[in-house]
Amino acid sequence: MLRGLNMDRQLMISSLIDYAGRNHRSTEVVARTSDGVVTRSTWGDVSDRARRLAGALAAADIEQGDRVATIAWNDHRHLEAYYAITGLGAVLHTVNPRLHDEQIAYILNHAQDVIVFVDPDFLGLAERLAPLCPKVRRWITLGPDYEAFLASADPVDEWPLLDEWAAATLCYTSGTTGHPKGVLQSHRAIVLQTWATCTADGHNVNSGESILLSVPMFHVNGWAIPFAAAMSGAKLVLPGSDLSPEAIVEWINAEHVTLSAGVPTIWLSMVQHLQRTNQDIPTLRRIAVGGSAAPRSLMDTLEDDYGVFVAHVWGMTEMTQGSSGRFTNRVESLPREEQRRRQAMAGREVFGVELRVVDGEGNDIARGTKTPGELLARGPWVAGGYFGIETPDSHTADGWLRTGDVATLDDEGYITIVDRAKDVIKSGGEWISSIDLENAAVGCPGVTQAAVIGLPHDRWGERPLLLCVVDRPVEHSAILRQLAAVVPKWWLPNDVAFVEEVPLTGTGKIDKKLLRERFAGHVWSDAAN
Ligand code: ADP
């Protein structure tokens, strides 16, 4: 091999905060802590304080490879911990506080965390967890306790040089089936995916933006935005625990937010709030929406009424962003309706995450075919395995990640997610997409939230039950008429039930497992269906 004559510089997360600290020292990082106080700091402050925190961690005997956990909201201290822990060569383990105690204890023990940073909101949780997690040497509260810890040692002068393959972040998938599984990302993987996040075909994070991080930093590293904001030097707004529509709208207008990202439920409730209160969000230009399917009606309203472009993307903890929501030059010139048809899909293949769809035997299903199959993914920042466990079924023999999503791919690489394999409704040997039904139902006037689950049915194996949250009386027949206009007749739910609320998982997705349990005894109103 004729070796290229480039410098041997490893891809390291510390270079991101170094860059922001050097070039964007006065660019703001605004945060609200859980006591309600708004803190205005800068990338310069975050860089300096991350070095201090790293010094304190080193003095507390944290070594390279040690796991250090955070149970925290989005604020500046959590951001400092992101950089201090990884910069030192330890592993940042972000824990979802909305999981059950037993799940969190399992995760902390499995990861063998030695220090845990805890938001004051979760002190009760930490007290319950402490006796269950004997390996944790220290619990540090993100308040005065943290400030004292930070002040207790000298800052590191230089970030240590690491191998780019060193583990940097650990994030457990929610484990809706079986135990949660830890996705362990290397420095190399994080830097590469952060670059992808900054490209225009990614989330287009750039220095011209004021970004509201509406994705929790414990969910897939806040979709890499805490890293991308440093890589680009963007202004960053960290909203703390309050993701209510009132707070989101207030932040957007107070901080002139131009870009944001989050799961559809956040935006659905924001739009309802804007409509109720007759407010506007003139600065917001784009949002990235993913994590679950965004209903077409939501995207239309955001764009038509508020001038906000929705980049609808697909992704997983295992690779962060997995698709692009940007229109290609060709799509830009298509009629609006054609563009929106694509926007309703889950984005298109983006460089870095290769996609394939295979049938039950593992044979490729050609692109452009309507037959769905399992979506597989491969790439330099896609998880190649899980931390500390054997998961023989998670990857194919030739090394592709089995996503567990049932999907189709078209000729342009657009992904249509039919369903998660465990949520797809198998009726008479055919598949019904709960996602399509939910999205169509949410388009019906008066329906604010919808969830569809498959329940056992004598004749068809499984049939769909539609659960709706409404903000005014709505007739079953009106909803079914709406659905009949967009889905095949045999997909129509056998029953529609009105509920007070749709339960969500810790990451803001419809908790279908819980719904299936709750409605297990459901008797179909028309048993002859
Ligand atoms: P979990 O929900 O298990 O905590 P993730 O947050 O990693 O884990 O979720 C990844 C899953 O979310 C994907 O496999 C897919 O089922 C779903 N998902 C993500 N984005 C979309 C989208 N745009 N449309 C439909 N489903 C999506």
Side-chain angles (χ1 to χ4, degrees):
M1 176 184 79
L2 178 62
R3 212 181 139 93
L5 290 174
N6 299 99
M7 293 184 188
D8 181 12
R9 298 288 297 166
Q10 301 289 293
L11 300 176
M12 287 194 318
I13 293 175
S14 55
S15 64
L16 306 178
I17 192 63
D18 262 357
Y19 168 82
R22 210 166 46 239
N23 297 289
H24 301 279
R25 276 203 80 74
S26 57
T27 301
E28 278 190 302
V29 174
V30 185
R32 185 177 164 281
T33 42
S34 55
D35 53 8
V37 173
V38 173
T39 306
R40 307 193 81 88
S41 61
T42 62
W43 280 115
D45 298 327
V46 175
S47 169
D48 295 349
R49 282 166 56 89
R51 281 170 187 258
R52 281 209 160 271
L53 181 58
L57 286 168
D61 296 328
I62 292 299
E63 292 176 2
Q64 294 187 0
D66 280 349
R67 270 79 68 199
V68 177
T70 58
I71 309 182
W73 300 119
N74 294 7
D75 69 14
H76 62 296
R77 295 190 178 113
H78 199 178
L79 187 66
E80 290 156 15
Y82 256 55
Y83 286 106
I85 297 166
T86 57
L88 203 59
V91 177
L92 165 76
H93 173 202
T94 45
V95 179
N96 182 345
R98 297 194 187 116
L99 300 178
H100 301 302
D101 284 15
E102 311 80 69
Q103 268 180 319
I104 300 183
Y106 168 86
I107 288 174
L108 293 178
N109 287 328
H110 188 267
Q112 300 189 314
D113 294 300
V114 284
I115 288 185
V116 184
F117 289 101
V118 195
D119 188 277
D121 270 1
F122 305 121
L123 277 183
L125 172 68
E127 271 163 27
R128 296 194 302 277
L129 290 172
L132 307 174
C133 305
K135 287 261 161 51
V136 176
R137 298 201 294 260
R138 201 154 167 189
W139 302 77
I140 298 171
T141 312
L142 291 166
D145 188 19
Y146 171 91
E147 295 299 330
F149 182 68
L150 198 86
S152 67
D154 291 331
V156 294
D157 288 337
E158 290 286 332
W159 293 109
L161 290 176
L162 306 167
D163 182 324
E164 64 184 22
W165 279 95
T169 68
L170 178 61
C171 189
Y172 282 73
T173 61
S174 64
T176 39
T177 50
H179 276 310
K181 294 180 291 189
V183 174
L184 189 65
Q185 298 271 10
S186 65
H187 282 258
R188 171 190 151 85
I190 295 282
V191 172
L192 289 175
Q193 66 177 247
T194 299
W195 244 316
T197 301
C198 290
T199 64
D201 285 321
H203 293 322
N204 197 355
V205 171
N206 65 79
S207 56
E209 311 283 354
S210 166
I211 305 172
L212 175 68
L213 189 61
S214 324
V215 189
M217 288 164 72
F218 55 76
H219 185 216
V220 200
N221 291 332
W223 297 4
I225 291 170
F227 297 125
M231 178 180 270
S232 58
K235 171 175 171 178
L236 189 59
V237 181
L238 301 167
S241 59
D242 188 0
L243 291 179
S244 65
E246 291 80 3
I248 298 267
V249 170
E250 227 175 280
W251 280 121
I252 293 172
N253 287 325
E255 301 301 331
H256 303 117
V257 168
T258 54
L259 171 66
S260 190
V263 291
T265 43
I266 297 262
W267 309 114
L268 280 167
S269 50
M270 182 190 78
V271 163
Q272 284 157 17
H273 174 68
L274 288 172
Q275 289 168 337
R276 254 196 326 267
T277 55
N278 215 6
Q279 290 184 78
D280 202 1
I281 38 169
T283 57
L284 189 66
R285 290 192 298 254
R286 272 179 301 121
I287 53 177
V289 181
S292 50
R296 157 104 197 237
S297 53
L298 170 69
M299 296 188 267
D300 289 354
T301 310
L302 276 165
E303 191 153 359
D304 294 343
D305 298 352
Y306 300 101
V308 177
F309 179 78
V310 174
H312 183 202
V313 293
W314 167 89
M316 297 177 77
T317 308
E318 284 82 345
M319 90 281 290
T320 315
Q321 184 175 0
S323 71
S324 172
R326 188 188 166 95
F327 292 152
T328 58
N329 180 263
R330 199 183 77 75
V331 173
E332 285 286 2
S333 61
L334 293 178
R336 203 68 204 95
E337 184 53 34
E338 273 299 301
Q339 295 177 342
R340 293 208 165 161
R341 196 176 62 73
R342 285 171 177 75
Q343 204 173 4
M345 297 190 226
R348 61 186 166 77
E349 182 175 323
V350 62
F351 178 79
V353 181
E354 280 175 82
L355 299 173
R356 261 167 85 194
V357 174
V358 295
D359 65 17
E361 273 78 56
N363 301 314
D364 276 282
I365 299 178
R367 288 193 175 200
T369 314
K370 292 265 179 282
T371 322
E374 186 174 14
L375 185 65
L376 307 182
R378 175 172 84 175
W381 60 85
V382 178
Y386 295 92
F387 179 56
I389 41 166
E390 293 291 321
T391 46
D393 296 335
S394 64
H395 290 74
T396 62
D398 54 352
W400 291 69
L401 173 76
R402 301 184 54 191
T403 66
D405 284 331
V406 177
T408 60
L409 282 173
D410 76 6
D411 295 329
E412 296 169 311
Y414 269 99
I415 312 164
T416 301
I417 302 287
V418 175
D419 232 320
R420 284 192 150 188
K422 55 183 186 288
D423 295 335
V424 74
I425 299 156
K426 298 176 192 82
S427 172
E430 303 273 355
W431 286 349
I432 298 175
S433 160
S434 64
I435 294 181
D436 283 359
L437 288 172
E438 284 157 7
N439 288 347
V442 170
C444 186
V447 178
T448 55
Q449 274 176 293
V452 173
I453 49 169
L455 290 178
H457 188 280
D458 285 347
R459 177 153 174 219
W460 299 107
E462 265 183 357
R463 289 296 301 163
L465 167 68
L466 168 62
L467 307 167
C468 290
V469 180
V470 290
D471 62 3
R472 70 193 86 150
V474 184
E475 293 287 333
H476 287 202
S477 54
I479 300 177
L480 291 177
R481 260 200 316 278
Q482 169 95 13
L483 297 185
V486 280
V487 301
K489 192 157 175 293
W490 62 275
W491 281 30
L492 291 182
N494 290 42
D495 277 337
V496 181
F498 295 105
V499 291
E500 287 294 311
E501 57 161 22
V502 169
L504 300 178
T505 66
T507 50
K509 303 178 192 200
I510 299 171
D511 193 339
K512 300 213 173 162
K513 193 173 160 227
L514 182 65
L515 283 176
R516 279 191 289 263
E517 280 164 20
R518 254 185 218 169
F519 286 87
H522 182 79
V523 180
W524 296 113
S525 57
D526 177 3
N529 247 323

